[in-house]
């Protein structure tokens, strides 16, 4: 399994715990300083067994029919076992190499599809003759056509296309205690100057791509223009990470705090105050459905974790999905299903199940261990990545993920969003993102 840590270049997230003789322990913790911090979250530990085949497999559903995989729409962006960036059809066929790496000399990271599915962006880092890292943001069509590259002053660790697919917001850390936001105008191939800075830093694009909603340093909650101008929303931020600017442009969703406590808020873009959705104590993690009609959330209090729940923003009706502490959750593109990652400790092993809620009921799928890259770089910031990448197929009928099964097979899996289907291994790799179309 390829680690995302490139220690001698000091450009990726560091693994913050030691390697034991028989297990590799990845601690998802806020002390990993090359990415945004998540304060007050408990450590999530993922133990990768040295030989997963020695564990007793749980009973699973029947295999997925091959024709079901072949008929799925879109393409997958994959970081393969060697660290190369490729795109493939959902069944693993029709491979196109977008970027190859030279071990010890270059690295590719953060593959991100544009919203119109016409291009993939990624971070490319090379070692210069002086031994220093040189970074750029590269783009190309999913078939490798029309490549472009623009150098950046920092090594980006996060990319987010704007909804118009014309520019890319990127975050980079020039030092261990600073994060900078830059904007790449893809057509102009210019990375531009730093637009904003602070740590931690979370963002959400406006639908027309001319502004962002930013949550910076735990104290700022602002509208940020592409000229660097800021307008404070006026509310003091609560304990949360990524704010959301709704896809229709009409509302903001964030957490606020005052003398009366904290609450999840939905606010009209033109209003001065917001409508409270959920009061809470501690920290709240939330993801807004693409249609803006529901919000999935979970509250982590100092002594307990409240159920993963979904609230209807119009009626206020709330449905509890599961009462366990969930590692991550993502809406399907059609807003009909919620995908969630449910921990399943089993003695000395630490497994996970994907769960799917369809608006009426939920079911768990065969257990597995996420790839180290997925666990370390993505799952701990899932609320932010829910706005810039998708594991779901464009039609919401299946999803993809990287990991190791109970019988020791490792790579990229496709899972039908049905309880009677088993996952199918389609490619080697540590990371996957499904194109929006």
């Amino acid at each position: 399994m390829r680690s995302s840590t490139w220690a001698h270049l000091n450009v990726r997230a560091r693994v913050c715990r030691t390697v034991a003789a028989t297990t590799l322990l990845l601690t998802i913790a806020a002390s990993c300083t090359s990415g945004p911090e998540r304060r007050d979250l408990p450590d999530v530990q993922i133990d990768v067994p040295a030989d997963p085949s020695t564990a007793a497999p749980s009973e699973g559903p029947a295999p997925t029919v091959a024709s079901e995989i072949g008929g799925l729409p879109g393409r997958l962006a994959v970081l393969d076992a060697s660290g190369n960036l490729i795109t493939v059809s959902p069944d693993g066929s029709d491979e196109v190499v977008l970027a190859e790496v030279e071990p010890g000399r270059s690295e590719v990271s953060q593959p991100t599809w544009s919203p119109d599915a016409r291009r993939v962006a990624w971070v490319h880092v090379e070692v210069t003759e002086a031994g220093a890292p040189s970074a750029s943001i590269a783009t190309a069509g999913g078939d490798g056509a029309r490549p472009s590259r623009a150098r950046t002053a920092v090594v980006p660790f996060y990319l987010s296309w704007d909804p118009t697919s014309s520019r890319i917001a990127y975050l980079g850390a020039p030092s261990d205690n600073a994060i900078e936001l830059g904007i790449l105008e893809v057509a102009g191939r210019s990375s531009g100057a730093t637009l904003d800075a602070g740590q931690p830093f979370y963002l959400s694009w406006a639908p027309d791509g001319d502004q962002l909603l930013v949550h910076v340093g735990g104290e700022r909650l602002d509208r940020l223009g592409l000229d660097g101008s800021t307008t404070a929303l006026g509310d003091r931020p609560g304990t949360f990470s990524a704010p959301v600017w709704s896809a229709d442009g009409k509302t903001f969703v964030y957490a606020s705090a005052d003398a009366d406590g904290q609450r999840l808020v939905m606010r009209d873009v033109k209003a001065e105050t917001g409508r409270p959705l959920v009061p809470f104590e501690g920290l709240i993690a939330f993801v807004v459905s693409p249609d803006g009609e529901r919000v999935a959330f979970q509250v982590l209090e100092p002594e307990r974790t409240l159920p993963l729940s979904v609230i209807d923003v119009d009626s206020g009706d709330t449905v509890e999905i599961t009462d366990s502490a969930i590692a991550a959750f993502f809406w399907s593109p059609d807003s009909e299903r919620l995908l969630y990652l449910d921990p399943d400790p089993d003695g000395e092993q630490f497994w996970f199940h994907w769960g799917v809620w369809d608006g009426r009921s939920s079911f768990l799928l065969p257990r597995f261990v996420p790839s180290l890259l997925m666990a370390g770089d993505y799952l701990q910031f899932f609320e932010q990545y829910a706005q810039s990448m998708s594991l779901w197929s464009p039609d919401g009928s299946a999803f993809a993920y990287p990991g190791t099964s109970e019988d020791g097979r490792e790579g990229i899996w496709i899972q039908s969003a049905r309880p009677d289907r088993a996952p199918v291994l389609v490619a080697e790799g540590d990371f996957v993102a499904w194109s929006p179309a």
Side-chain angles (χ1 to χ4, degrees), residues 244-324:
V244 175
W245 197 322
S246 65
D248 62 9
K250 297 180 179 179
T251 56
F252 302 136
V253 183
Y254 56 89
S256 67
D258 57 26
D260 295 326
Q262 299 189 88
R263 61 201 63 82
L264 182 65
V265 171
M266 174 166 279
R267 173 172 167 177
D268 189 285
V269 170
K270 299 179 181 180
E272 295 184 358
T273 60
R275 176 166 60 94
L277 296 177
V278 179
F280 69 94
E281 298 178 4
L283 178 148
I284 191 167
F286 64 90
V287 177
V288 180
S289 63
D291 62 12
E293 296 181 0
R294 294 184 288 187
V295 180
F297 67 94
Q298 186 163 49
V299 174
L300 289 79
E301 295 184 347
E303 302 297 330
R304 61 173 181 164
T305 298
L306 301 185
L308 172 64
S309 303
V310 172
I311 184 170
D312 183 290
V313 299
D314 286 335
S315 68
D317 294 340
T318 302
V319 178
E320 294 182 359
I321 309 303
T322 177
D323 59 5
S324 60

Side-chain angles (χ1 to χ4, degrees), residues 317-401:
D317 294 340
T318 302
V319 178
E320 294 182 359
I321 309 303
T322 177
D323 59 5
S324 60
I326 299 303
F329 42 94
F330 306 91
W331 285 102
S332 61
D334 58 7
S335 302
E336 295 297 321
R337 297 180 175 92
L338 183 70
L339 177 67
Y340 58 92
L341 190 58
D342 192 5
D344 181 17
D346 182 8
E348 295 183 355
Q349 307 294 343
F350 208 104
W351 301 94
F352 287 81
H353 293 275
W354 284 116
V356 176
W357 179 72
D358 63 6
R360 298 172 298 277
S361 61
S362 60
F363 56 86
L364 293 178
L365 295 158
R367 61 186 189 177
F368 75 107
V369 177
S371 74
L372 182 63
L373 175 61
M374 191 69 179
D377 286 13
Y378 291 87
L379 295 181
Q380 62 172 323
F381 308 115
F382 73 91
E383 301 105 300
Q384 183 67 81
Y385 280 103
Q387 300 187 52
S388 59
M389 62 158 284
S390 180
L391 301 178
W392 283 98
S393 63
D395 62 1
S397 66
F399 59 91
Y401 64 93

